[in-house]
Amino acid sequence: MRRAGGFRGALAFSSALPLAGCTGDLSALDPAGPFAAAVAKLWWLMLAGSAAIFLVVLGLFLLALFRPGALRRVAPSGWIWVGGFFFPLVTLVALIGHGLMRGEYILNLEAGGEPVHVEARGSMWHWDFRYAEGARTSRGILHVPVGRTIVVTATSEDVIHSFWAPRLGGKIDAIPGHAATVRILADHPGVYGGICSEYCGTGHEGMVFEVHAHAPEDFEAVLAGLPQDRQAAR
Amino acid sequence: MTPAPRNTALRLHRELTAIWGTPPGWGRLQAVNHTVIGKRFMLTALVFFAIGGVLAMLIRTQLATTTSAFLDAAAYAQVFTMHGVVMMFLFAIPFFEGLAMYLLPKMLGSRDLAFPRMSAYGYWCYLFGGTFLVGALVAGVAPDGGWFMYTPLSSATYTPGINADVWLLGITFVEISALSAAIEILVSVLKLRAPGMSLTRMPIFAWYMLIVAGMMLIGFPPLILGSILLEAERAFGLPFFDPARGGDPLLWQHLFWLFGHPEVYIIFLPAAGALSTIIPTLARRPLEGYEIVVAAVIAIAFLSFGLWVHHMYTVGIPHVALSFFSAASGLVAIPTGVQIFAWLATLAHGRPRLSVPMLHVFGFLFVFVLGGLTGVMLAMVPFDWQAHDTHFVVAHLHYVLVGGFIFPMLAAAYYWLPHIFGRRSVQHLSHAAFWMIFIGFNLTFFAMHLTGLRGMPRRISTYPPEAGWETLNFVSSMGGFIMTTGFALVALDLLLLALFGKPFRRNPWQAGTLEWAMPTPPPAYAFASLPEVSTRADRIDPDRLAPTLAAGKGYLGAARHGWMEVLGVDMVTGRPEQVVVLPKRSYLPLVTALATGSFFALLLIKLYWIAPLALLAVAALFLLWTRDCGLTSDLAGLPVGHGPDLPHHYQSERPPSYWAMIFTLTADATLYASLLFGALFLWLSAPNWPPGGIDIPFEVFTCAAVALALAVVAATLGPAPPTDRGRVTKRLYLAALAYGVALIVLVVFLVRLSGDASRHAAIASIFAVKCYAVVHIAVGLLLTLFCTWRVRAGYVAAGRDLDLRLARQWHLFTLVAGLAALAFPLVLKLLTGGAG
Amino acid sequence: MNANPFFGLLAVWIGWAGGFLLLYALQATGCRAGWDVPMIGPLSMLRLLLVATTAAIVLGLVRLSRKATPNGPESPLARISALANGAAILATLCFAGVLWLGLCG
């Protein structure tokens, strides 16, 4: 059997991948706000841990095949209990606890004063955004002030869609009959990409939107310039 | 020592082959033999794998460049949906079912599975159902809403064509096959083993399959229920998933994933079982930690049912509830780790042989561990809020499925193909093939993790150049082509082995398990006589055992009356307790499968009034199966070659069919519980409750009449039957009458309710629950009439009342289910505070 | 060994599964019924209910596991049962969120 040349090749290849860059308008690895940044940090932590665990397990396997002498000094039950039970238990309890803490942080952070409430109404195949209980609307572009928590309520007129602005926060499904919320926050003014993340028919990939983050002093003016919602309150 | 006369072994071989074998030509359609059916399942699954692979290449071709015009969005939707459907439903499960069917009786020291005709029926249902689905693809009407078919996209409003019906009906058809296999595996592993093979002496693969079969029993009914409800919504307007009328799209998601998550462990665990068998053999050391591995598999089985919401972290469920599923999803890595380290310990303390299966074991470890690690990442809720429904998940799921199923199955193929064909590989294609698959796979899917985190969602057919995903996708597509070539090489390699491999004497791997204690390729009867097992079944010496068994020195070492005989043993101790006489080959499974298929086909083309006739035909055909079952007169104990004489299974206390009925009712109860909980979920979560302006119907007269009728059934058929044939028949007629009354009352009620049922989910739920009761009462009536026929034909007497006892289980279940169905509207009424 | 070895093998895990369903159903029903609003001391009524139920489940599983393997590990099946039951009790860790995580909406 040939040595694990394939493995070395894969390792070399994968280290070249980061050169492809993590940036991008829709990249979760290019965060532009604290929620997305919290997740990105969690990702890098888990990546490092996973790489280490993977290398150790693979290394043990290769040793077992080719140089078992060192491994034989530990009894089989030792391998099973320490490697298979205690180590994963400790690691997982720590990781799960950490993950849940990050989750609570994302669910509860209110920066910059009162959160701004926006409704993101998905339909096949565009997004309509409604501000201030429907007083103002915009299509395809979500206007938000910088530095304040935005609570996005996702609703749907037809099938399930999903609101996702990766650089600003996680995604939330827009399910007809429900109104679930997600929090996003932009640290700096700019334009950030968004995309529907639940298959909703042949127009799914075209169901994109943009988040325009404005300096707080500009936000009110932008809002005032938006059309009023012609529909009566739903 | 008396020399084992070769003519005895030869004579025995000829007699047993005549009884157990499959005739050539058209006779092959009668086959019920586990070796034949197992091979058919595996071969058919491989054909579907090739189809799924072609679909995958279409996907990769489409995604290799930006704004590709290779497929339009609608065609692409059918392609990605069918890729998932074919791989998950038509390849993975049938393949390991086939492997289990082929291996289990041999590893357990028995001659066949418990219900050979059921094996055959299951195969034909799978073949016809799969053809349904692939036929729809060729015709351009394949399902196109993703392999998990979320509503409302898959409801009648947004998928008006028959695409979704093809999925709902086709999958249900195939799942009948899976459920029947689950019941058969459960009964076979528990009851049909070699004498002396206690539970803890079983080969580890049998433990895995026993536990997996239990998972299938509980895991498939929610999907079947969901499919029935969605089809009812599409065909008849019952609004289970329509929020405007009190339904909820989330109900579909819960029902689907309640099935969907255990499904992937149902796929992984048999592969792990194969590894637990192969690795010790290749390491020349019995598996370390047999006991903790069994405990770990039990843990995975239960934990896997507590993970399903991790597919739904983004629907808005509160954090505390998500945490249950997140923690369980993380903790499930522990029993998985226990198994991996048991294998590592076995290898480290053994003397591993570097051979082709070991190459695939390396492939498994590399790929599956990576997949498991990304799985733990996805189990963390905040991370999933970013990664859900992106290509990161696509990468993860392929790592765990290819790593956890494909590579172990390739190892299993190289390990057991010599058993199936009696030939060893001589080609060196095997190495090149492995590396192409391994390198191609990693090229395709490793990059995909990054693609997903850079924002590429699932299921999009094109993407713009400015997204920055083109290079990564191009790399993935190139990897896909390399991987496909690798699979083609493997197929060629295995074909060459089958046709031109070197024949060998016996047991090329020097394994210690029973399946090698027979000639290879195996004869139809597997064992000429059954072994007595006194050690753990992976510490057997097949080379010494085989000639003894072939000479007829074990149990049941003679052909008797032309019967197909195996031994039934005590579940726990393995003490022989009955002689199970299996039914002979027949065309009935094929015909019954055709009738079942026609029922689904009629529903598909919307001929709803004729469909019940097909159902009656299916029922009648199943009753015809019983012609070969049973005894018309008492039989004395049968000698079995060693130890005391044993009763014929029909006269024993707990024959295989008794347990089959218990397991069937367990699956049935799971379906019912899913229905009742589903309705309560709608009350809890769906909008537009309580139903405005619609009365929740609770009719005291109907309830009293039905309850009374069911009580009469319970009173007449519940207690032990009298010995006098006349009195038994009288009770049966009385029960049949009571069933008839209950049936008529309920059907009238349902007809009157049917107008309102499409107005609100509350009414639709009551309608569904009462329909469930009606079905069970109708079957109860059928069984009662069937029993009267059996009594009159002489099949029933004191000590020979199996028919009555089996039917009794059904009656008691129907009583409980029926009373629950009667009380259900009252519960809904109380929850919604009375009428709308 | 208990009369039915399958009881010893499966009872505690079945209990875990039942407890899991109970807690999830209690959380969902409690949120819909608004039980997270009334406060009893520093904790909401719903949280107290969930914590109490979790404690009851854990204690119940411990008692069940004692019944399932009364005589200690003297056979392979008994040892497997002891391991499986221990794992099931350990798995109740997944309920720890009731102590501190957001309950509704």
Side-chain angles (χ1 to χ4, degrees), chain C residues 5-55:
Chain C
F6 289 103
F7 176 80
L9 210 49
L10 302 175
V12 186
W13 270 111
I14 295 178
W16 173 87
F20 191 105
L21 276 177
L22 178 63
L23 277 177
Y24 189 21
L26 210 53
Q27 177 268 323
T29 312
C31 283
R32 188 189 198 270
W35 296 344
D36 59 323
V37 174
M39 304 294 287
I40 303 178
L43 300 175
S44 69
M45 189 168 93
L46 181 57
R47 191 175 296 285
L48 272 177
L49 184 58
L50 288 173
V51 172
T53 310
T54 308

Side-chain angles (χ1 to χ4, degrees), chain A residues 82-134:
Chain A
V82 173
F85 180 76
F86 282 111
F87 176 72
L89 179 64
V90 168
T91 316
L92 287 166
V93 169
L95 180 62
I96 294 168
H98 179 74
L100 292 173
M101 282 196 297
R102 294 283 94 196
E104 281 293 294
Y105 166 76
I106 291 173
L107 288 170
N108 292 312
L109 178 68
E110 290 186 359
E114 268 295 301
V116 176
H117 291 265
V118 177
E119 181 190 342
R121 190 176 294 175
S123 55
M124 290 152 114
W125 288 289
H126 55 264
W127 291 96
D128 282 313
F129 302 103
R130 308 180 73 235
Y131 313 80
E133 316 285 309

Side-chain angles (χ1 to χ4, degrees), chain B residues 740-806:
Chain B
V741 166
L743 192 60
I744 293 173
V745 170
L746 273 178
V747 168
V748 166
F749 173 79
L750 281 175
V751 167
R752 285 178 23 233
L753 192 62
S754 58
D756 270 347
S758 54
R759 291 177 61 196
H760 193 276
I763 318 297
S765 305
I766 294 172
F767 191 86
V769 169
K770 294 276 208 281
C771 276
Y772 181 88
V774 162
V775 166
H776 283 70
I777 289 172
V779 172
L781 174 58
L782 201 60
L783 284 177
T784 310
L785 294 173
F786 170 72
C787 282
T788 58
W789 178 78
R790 294 282 280 189
V791 169
R792 290 171 55 179
Y795 285 99
V796 178
R800 243 189 320 121
D801 58 356
L802 183 60
D803 299 272
L804 296 181
R805 282 190 293 131
L806 289 182

Side-chain angles (χ1 to χ4, degrees), chain B residues 609-621:
Chain B
W609 292 113
I610 312 181
L613 292 178
L615 211 50
L616 278 175
V618 172
L621 282 166

